Amino acid sequence: MKEKIIRNSPSSYRKLEDIVGCKWSISVISAVAEGIVRPGAIEKHIEGISTKVLSERLKKLTRYGILAKITYHEVPPKTEYKLTESGIKLKNILLQIHYLDSEMQKNK
């Protein structure tokens, strides 16, 4: 089992903007937080996402340090993703935003 977290480049704000500004990133983070960790299962879970877009999002979220990629050296190869410490913090912030939205909808 090999765990890989890649960190580099854009500012934290730019990363956050890129993540939150993309509906697919939020969906991927939510799926992994729910325990759906294999790429094929994530693709089936998120309605409308293509294999290409999912692959791009997984790479970007891993590069940004939100997800960790775990590769199992077996036949056939097996890859899973998990939230990093930063990913868990971001997931909690997203839950707070969701809660705030729900509260605002009640007060309309």
Side-chain angles (χ1 to χ4, degrees):
M1 178 171 84
K2 183 174 111 181
E3 187 175 312
K4 184 167 134 182
I5 300 173
I6 304 168
R7 292 192 171 95
N8 61 6
S9 59
S11 72
S12 296
Y13 181 79
R14 291 272 181 196
K15 291 176 189 177
L16 183 60
E17 189 177 60
D18 188 28
I19 294 166
V20 176
C22 174
K23 71 176 183 176
W24 298 121
S25 290
I26 302 302
S27 297
V28 170
I29 291 167
S30 296
V32 173
E34 291 174 27
I36 304 164
V37 297
R38 305 277 312 271
I42 295 170
E43 186 177 349
K44 289 176 186 166
H45 180 75
I46 302 172
E47 186 176 327
I49 195 167
S50 69
T51 303
K52 179 184 177 195
V53 171
L54 176 60
S55 178
E56 290 170 354
R57 289 290 99 191
L58 289 170
K59 285 178 187 174
K60 186 165 277 191
L61 291 168
T62 301
R63 189 171 60 246
Y64 285 176
I66 302 300
L67 295 179
K69 180 179 181 179
I70 304 162
T71 305
Y72 298 91
H73 297 288
E74 53 188 52
V75 178
K78 179 179 169 186
T79 301
E80 295 181 346
Y81 290 86
K82 71 174 190 174
L83 292 175
T84 63
E85 190 174 317
S86 293
I88 292 168
K89 289 176 184 177
L90 179 57
K91 176 201 67 141
N92 290 335
I93 291 168
L94 294 171
L95 286 173
Q96 290 175 8
I97 292 169
H98 179 73
Y99 176 75
L100 176 62
D101 180 55
S102 296
E103 289 298 309
M104 291 171 66
Q105 293 299 321
K106 288 180 195 173
N107 295 326
K108 279 190 171 181

